[in-house]
Amino acid sequence: MTSVPTPIPSRTQFVLEGIKHRILTGQLSPGRPLVETELAAQYGVSKTPVREALKTLAGTGLVVMSQYKGVTVRMVDADMAREIYDVRLLLEPEALRRSVRRRAVLDAACDALDRADAATDTAERSLANREFHRALYLPCGNPLLGRMLDEVRDQAALVSAVAWAADPSWAAEAAEHREILRLARLGDADGAASALHDHIASFLHRAFPGTRQEEGRR
């Protein structure tokens, strides 16, 4: 059987994951221009997969495409953070509540916590943090709910990367994660959901203190 050439989508995925990793670890800071020719040279590809990767990243909210300014990494401010975390506060605790009530196995969440503890850099810690939260909501029994939360996880990670760069709070968050998982494993669906809500809200308040009053009015 003749070999099949590597399709363009695989090169696009390679570039996509590379750019995303650099954005979510702060190597490409908010507002940074993303020039197709430069990225193509860095990744050893033509401009086509770079262009397609940037379009995908724009669709996920990590980059902004402008007719006049070109493509830039999305800026993070209190309004953007509030929008993303408002969605998480509405959906993620409920998803966890359902996961617990379905008696979902949460071993993946425990593994993610261990990886976060062993992380040697921000990139590893960020990835483990994302996987922890996903392991809690994915077994909720509603695939649409899981996909909706998947859609905002990259933007939430961008907010986290910016906040951690200004004020690392990993130790506090790790303790909160363990308490959430402890309650979930005890079968306390409401307690775990409440702890997760407080965890998400407290991070937003620490990173963007001005959001506290507005959220309190909702």
Side-chain angles (χ1 to χ4, degrees), residues 120-145:
T120 58
D121 60 29
T122 302
E124 292 180 20
R125 191 174 288 107
S126 176
L127 180 59
N129 178 72
R130 295 171 70 206
E131 290 306 316
F132 171 77
H133 282 272
R134 192 167 193 262
L136 296 180
Y137 68 69
L138 205 59
C140 68
N142 185 327
L144 177 58
L145 179 55

Short mmCIF file of all heavy atoms in Angstrom, two decimals, residues 120-145:
data_model
loop_
_atom_site.label_atom_id
_atom_site.label_comp_id
_atom_site.label_asym_id
_atom_site.label_seq_id
_atom_site.Cartn_x
_atom_site.Cartn_y
_atom_site.Cartn_z
N THR A 120 6.98 21.63 37.39
CA THR A 120 8.21 22.41 37.56
C THR A 120 8.14 23.77 36.87
O THR A 120 9.06 24.57 37.01
CB THR A 120 9.41 21.63 37.00
OG1 THR A 120 9.18 21.33 35.61
CG2 THR A 120 9.61 20.33 37.77
N ASP A 121 7.08 24.00 36.12
CA ASP A 121 6.92 25.31 35.49
C ASP A 121 5.44 25.65 35.33
O ASP A 121 4.57 24.81 35.58
CB ASP A 121 7.64 25.38 34.14
CG ASP A 121 7.13 24.34 33.14
OD1 ASP A 121 5.94 23.95 33.22
OD2 ASP A 121 7.91 23.91 32.28
N THR A 122 5.19 26.87 34.91
CA THR A 122 3.81 27.35 34.77
C THR A 122 3.04 26.56 33.73
O THR A 122 1.84 26.33 33.89
CB THR A 122 3.82 28.84 34.39
OG1 THR A 122 4.53 29.58 35.39
CG2 THR A 122 2.40 29.39 34.31
N ALA A 123 3.72 26.15 32.66
CA ALA A 123 3.03 25.43 31.59
C ALA A 123 2.44 24.12 32.11
O ALA A 123 1.29 23.80 31.85
CB ALA A 123 4.00 25.15 30.44
N GLU A 124 3.25 23.35 32.84
CA GLU A 124 2.78 22.07 33.38
C GLU A 124 1.65 22.30 34.38
O GLU A 124 0.66 21.56 34.40
CB GLU A 124 3.93 21.33 34.06
CG GLU A 124 5.01 20.84 33.11
CD GLU A 124 6.12 20.12 33.85
OE1 GLU A 124 5.89 19.67 35.00
OE2 GLU A 124 7.22 20.01 33.29
N ARG A 125 1.81 23.31 35.21
CA ARG A 125 0.80 23.58 36.23
C ARG A 125 -0.52 24.03 35.60
O ARG A 125 -1.60 23.63 36.03
CB ARG A 125 1.32 24.65 37.20
CG ARG A 125 0.47 24.82 38.44
CD ARG A 125 1.11 25.78 39.41
NE ARG A 125 2.28 25.22 40.08
CZ ARG A 125 3.53 25.57 39.82
NH1 ARG A 125 3.79 26.48 38.90
NH2 ARG A 125 4.53 25.03 40.48
N SER A 126 -0.42 24.85 34.58
CA SER A 126 -1.62 25.32 33.89
C SER A 126 -2.37 24.17 33.23
O SER A 126 -3.59 24.07 33.34
CB SER A 126 -1.24 26.37 32.83
OG SER A 126 -2.37 26.77 32.10
N LEU A 127 -1.62 23.29 32.58
CA LEU A 127 -2.25 22.14 31.92
C LEU A 127 -2.93 21.24 32.94
O LEU A 127 -4.06 20.79 32.74
CB LEU A 127 -1.21 21.35 31.13
CG LEU A 127 -1.73 20.12 30.38
CD1 LEU A 127 -2.80 20.51 29.38
CD2 LEU A 127 -0.58 19.40 29.69
N ALA A 128 -2.25 20.98 34.05
CA ALA A 128 -2.83 20.12 35.09
C ALA A 128 -4.06 20.76 35.70
O ALA A 128 -5.05 20.07 36.00
CB ALA A 128 -1.78 19.85 36.17
N ASN A 129 -4.04 22.08 35.87
CA ASN A 129 -5.20 22.79 36.42
C ASN A 129 -6.40 22.64 35.50
O ASN A 129 -7.53 22.38 35.95
CB ASN A 129 -4.84 24.27 36.59
CG ASN A 129 -6.00 25.10 37.12
OD1 ASN A 129 -6.37 24.99 38.28
ND2 ASN A 129 -6.58 25.92 36.26
N ARG A 130 -6.18 22.79 34.20
CA ARG A 130 -7.27 22.66 33.24
C ARG A 130 -7.84 21.25 33.24
O ARG A 130 -9.05 21.05 33.17
CB ARG A 130 -6.77 23.03 31.84
CG ARG A 130 -6.36 24.48 31.71
CD ARG A 130 -5.67 24.71 30.38
NE ARG A 130 -6.60 24.63 29.28
CZ ARG A 130 -6.25 24.30 28.04
NH1 ARG A 130 -5.01 23.98 27.76
NH2 ARG A 130 -7.16 24.27 27.09
N GLU A 131 -6.94 20.25 33.32
CA GLU A 131 -7.39 18.87 33.30
C GLU A 131 -8.15 18.51 34.57
O GLU A 131 -9.08 17.72 34.54
CB GLU A 131 -6.20 17.93 33.11
CG GLU A 131 -5.59 18.01 31.71
CD GLU A 131 -6.62 17.78 30.62
OE1 GLU A 131 -7.45 16.85 30.76
OE2 GLU A 131 -6.63 18.54 29.63
N PHE A 132 -7.77 19.11 35.70
CA PHE A 132 -8.51 18.86 36.95
C PHE A 132 -9.95 19.30 36.81
O PHE A 132 -10.89 18.55 37.10
CB PHE A 132 -7.85 19.61 38.11
CG PHE A 132 -8.66 19.59 39.38
CD1 PHE A 132 -8.71 18.45 40.18
CD2 PHE A 132 -9.41 20.70 39.76
CE1 PHE A 132 -9.48 18.41 41.34
CE2 PHE A 132 -10.18 20.67 40.92
CZ PHE A 132 -10.20 19.52 41.70
N HIS A 133 -10.15 20.53 36.36
CA HIS A 133 -11.51 21.04 36.23
C HIS A 133 -12.30 20.24 35.20
O HIS A 133 -13.49 19.94 35.42
CB HIS A 133 -11.48 22.52 35.85
CG HIS A 133 -11.18 23.42 37.01
ND1 HIS A 133 -12.17 23.90 37.84
CD2 HIS A 133 -10.02 23.90 37.51
CE1 HIS A 133 -11.63 24.66 38.78
NE2 HIS A 133 -10.32 24.67 38.59
N ARG A 134 -11.66 19.88 34.11
CA ARG A 134 -12.36 19.12 33.08
C ARG A 134 -12.76 17.73 33.58
O ARG A 134 -13.83 17.22 33.25
CB ARG A 134 -11.49 18.97 31.83
CG ARG A 134 -12.24 18.44 30.60
CD ARG A 134 -11.42 18.63 29.35
NE ARG A 134 -12.25 18.40 28.17
CZ ARG A 134 -12.29 17.26 27.49
NH1 ARG A 134 -11.55 16.23 27.88
NH2 ARG A 134 -13.07 17.13 26.43
N ALA A 135 -11.91 17.14 34.41
CA ALA A 135 -12.22 15.82 34.95
C ALA A 135 -13.43 15.86 35.89
O ALA A 135 -14.10 14.84 36.09
CB ALA A 135 -11.01 15.26 35.69
N LEU A 136 -13.72 17.03 36.45
CA LEU A 136 -14.88 17.16 37.32
C LEU A 136 -16.18 17.33 36.54
O LEU A 136 -17.21 16.77 36.91
CB LEU A 136 -14.70 18.38 38.25
CG LEU A 136 -13.55 18.34 39.26
CD1 LEU A 136 -13.55 19.62 40.08
CD2 LEU A 136 -13.63 17.13 40.16
N TYR A 137 -16.12 18.11 35.46
CA TYR A 137 -17.38 18.40 34.77
C TYR A 137 -17.70 17.45 33.62
O TYR A 137 -18.87 17.27 33.25
CB TYR A 137 -17.44 19.84 34.30
CG TYR A 137 -16.50 20.28 33.19
CD1 TYR A 137 -16.65 19.82 31.89
CD2 TYR A 137 -15.49 21.22 33.44
CE1 TYR A 137 -15.81 20.25 30.86
CE2 TYR A 137 -14.65 21.66 32.43
CZ TYR A 137 -14.81 21.17 31.14
OH TYR A 137 -13.98 21.60 30.14
N LEU A 138 -16.68 16.79 33.07
CA LEU A 138 -16.94 15.97 31.88
C LEU A 138 -17.87 14.78 32.13
O LEU A 138 -18.68 14.45 31.26
CB LEU A 138 -15.61 15.47 31.30
CG LEU A 138 -15.62 15.14 29.81
CD1 LEU A 138 -16.02 16.35 28.98
CD2 LEU A 138 -14.26 14.61 29.38
N PRO A 139 -17.82 14.13 33.33
CA PRO A 139 -18.73 12.99 33.55
C PRO A 139 -20.14 13.39 33.99
O PRO A 139 -20.86 12.58 34.57
CB PRO A 139 -18.03 12.21 34.68
CG PRO A 139 -16.73 12.89 34.95
CD PRO A 139 -16.87 14.27 34.45
N CYS A 140 -20.55 14.62 33.71
CA CYS A 140 -21.84 15.12 34.21
C CYS A 140 -23.04 14.43 33.58
O CYS A 140 -24.16 14.56 34.09
CB CYS A 140 -21.94 16.63 34.02
SG CYS A 140 -22.06 17.15 32.28
N GLY A 141 -22.83 13.74 32.47
CA GLY A 141 -23.94 13.05 31.83
C GLY A 141 -24.64 13.85 30.75
O GLY A 141 -25.56 13.35 30.10
N ASN A 142 -24.20 15.09 30.55
CA ASN A 142 -24.78 15.94 29.51
C ASN A 142 -23.64 16.39 28.60
O ASN A 142 -22.92 17.34 28.91
CB ASN A 142 -25.47 17.15 30.14
CG ASN A 142 -26.19 18.01 29.11
OD1 ASN A 142 -25.76 18.12 27.98
ND2 ASN A 142 -27.29 18.62 29.53
N PRO A 143 -23.46 15.72 27.45
CA PRO A 143 -22.36 16.06 26.56
C PRO A 143 -22.36 17.52 26.11
O PRO A 143 -21.30 18.13 25.95
CB PRO A 143 -22.56 15.11 25.37
CG PRO A 143 -23.33 13.96 25.93
CD PRO A 143 -24.24 14.56 26.96
N LEU A 144 -23.55 18.10 25.92
CA LEU A 144 -23.62 19.50 25.50
C LEU A 144 -23.06 20.42 26.57
O LEU A 144 -22.32 21.37 26.27
CB LEU A 144 -25.06 19.88 25.17
CG LEU A 144 -25.28 21.36 24.77
CD1 LEU A 144 -24.44 21.73 23.56
CD2 LEU A 144 -26.77 21.60 24.49
N LEU A 145 -23.39 20.14 27.82
CA LEU A 145 -22.87 20.93 28.93
C LEU A 145 -21.35 20.84 28.97
O LEU A 145 -20.65 21.84 29.16
CB LEU A 145 -23.49 20.45 30.25
CG LEU A 145 -23.04 21.16 31.53
CD1 LEU A 145 -23.25 22.66 31.44
CD2 LEU A 145 -23.81 20.58 32.72
#
